[in-house]
Amino acid sequence: MSASRIVAASDAAITEAARLLRAGKLVAFPTETVYGLGADAGNDEAIAALYRAKGRPAHNPLIVHVATLAEAEALAEFDDAARLLARTFWPGSLTLVLRKRAGARIAAAVTAGLDTVALRIPDHPVALALLRATGRPLAAPSANPSGRVSPTRAEHVAAGLADRVLDGGPSRVGIESTVVALDGGARLLRPGGIAAADIERALGRALATGADAARPQSPGQLASHYAPRARVRMNAISVSAKEGVLNFGANALRGAKTAISLSERGDLGEAAANLYAALRTLDDAGVETIAVVPIPEEGLGAAINDRLRRASARPS
Ligand code: AMP
Ligand code: MG
């Protein structure tokens, strides 16, 4: 694959990127969550190239991005609950896993052969313009090698991963979408950019959590994921001089080689937006261990702690 070319996401660049996508190429583009590595969801070869580029295991299904609810309904069966959540949170950082419609033009590899499909309308003007210009649903996992830290800026997209990178500035949310399965019941598969409590309030009932052994695992549930090079140590209450530290709020630890505050004012949304860039900065500083102070488990803290737990698990 040719080296990635980062271009500002002008109208002309979006038109050209759409042409590349229709020709089966891979285009990295900004969304409000993280940068996605996009491919035409109906093109078997493009999807195969996408899995290859990321080194993503074939059993990890991809999220399909669309521009409108009508396009989503052409691909999956929406019941009242699905329509309610889509109307409430789309465009936005919620992915719905729904029963795939018979005859939906989605490459089998996108859903890893499942009879369900994961769908989302991203809340980003460049992503939406690209979807409209392409005129096709786009499968778009995070634009990083599988298992590593997700990109929240165009320059974080690894060279060679995409045929083109559209630069739309930093991702506002900074953490992947919340994934909810509505294939009978309502189940939280992955905490993310929209707090589970907000979804439960809209739905009027609690989301089930935890793995369901009868159903395939979500890759967001892989034990080791989102991993920087450095070791990650959570709930740190002290820090050694050689470590890097991620602080949050007023109770900052001092004395580390490098310290970054995810949010000095203790705002979990700000912390989520800064998380991946901060992990990269500490990796670049060459620290062996990243100590992270306790982060509250409420709101977006659940998603931050989920990513940090997986980042701290070593690959088996
Ligand atoms: P990523 O693209 O890496 O942000 O991850 C996509 C997330 O969506 C993972 O947690 C997947 O397991 C989940 N996902 C995608 N499609 C499905 C599906 N059909 N069933 C269950 N989970 C899915
Ligand atoms: Mg990812």
Side-chain angles (χ1 to χ4, degrees), residues 18-297:
R19 191 189 66 72
L20 290 171
L21 285 164
R22 284 196 302 272
K25 304 288 189 190
L26 307 181
V27 172
F29 61 94
T31 82
E32 84 281 21
T33 59
V34 301
Y35 273 67
L37 183 61
D40 178 350
N43 181 330
D44 292 303
E45 282 161 28
I47 297 303
L50 175 56
Y51 275 93
R52 257 195 325 272
K54 276 186 62 86
R56 184 170 174 114
H59 63 266
N60 284 358
L62 305 172
I63 296 173
V64 176
H65 295 67
V66 292
T68 65
L69 181 54
E71 287 171 72
E73 295 211 26
L75 300 175
E77 289 167 16
F78 279 66
D79 60 9
D80 289 346
R83 219 164 271 130
L84 174 70
L85 291 187
R87 292 218 171 98
T88 307
F89 295 106
W90 286 357
S93 317
L94 172 66
T95 294
L96 296 177
V97 174
L98 304 169
R99 196 164 283 283
K100 192 169 74 170
R101 240 181 226 295
R105 284 197 43 221
I106 298 283
V110 165
T111 61
L114 302 173
D115 57 3
T116 53
V117 60
L119 292 168
R120 173 170 107 84
I121 303 181
D123 186 15
H124 194 290
V126 172
L128 291 170
L130 182 65
L131 284 162
R132 283 191 215 101
T134 310
R136 297 181 192 175
L138 297 177
S142 52
N144 54 284
S146 183
R148 312 310 303 194
V149 178
S150 301
T152 52
R153 293 169 177 270
E155 60 268 28
H156 294 168
V157 177
L161 198 66
D163 295 294
R164 186 67 47 88
V165 181
L166 290 177
D167 187 351
S171 292
R172 173 172 54 78
V173 174
I175 208 154
E176 295 81 355
S177 59
T178 305
V179 182
V180 170
L182 289 174
D183 50 346
R187 207 154 42 93
L188 179 68
L189 295 182
R190 174 178 74 181
I194 292 180
D198 292 341
I199 298 166
E200 292 178 329
R201 202 170 304 120
L203 207 52
R205 62 186 154 122
L207 293 169
T209 53
D212 177 345
R215 293 181 182 278
Q217 284 284 337
S218 261
Q221 296 170 3
L222 288 180
S224 174
H225 214 71
Y226 314 107
R229 193 193 39 72
R231 211 165 252 290
V232 174
R233 187 165 73 79
M234 293 178 70
N235 297 314
I237 49 170
S238 64
V239 67
S240 85
K242 288 187 300 193
E243 290 182 303
V245 64
L246 284 185
N247 282 317
F248 175 79
N251 301 326
L253 296 177
R254 315 267 169 217
K257 181 178 169 194
T258 315
I260 298 177
S261 180
L262 291 173
S263 171
E264 283 180 6
R265 60 194 159 95
D267 180 278
L268 290 163
E270 183 180 39
N274 288 332
L275 176 65
Y276 291 139
L279 291 173
R280 281 172 196 276
T281 302
L282 292 177
D283 255 354
D284 292 345
V287 300
E288 267 171 42
T289 305
I290 298 172
V292 190
V293 304
I295 311 263
E297 186 67 23

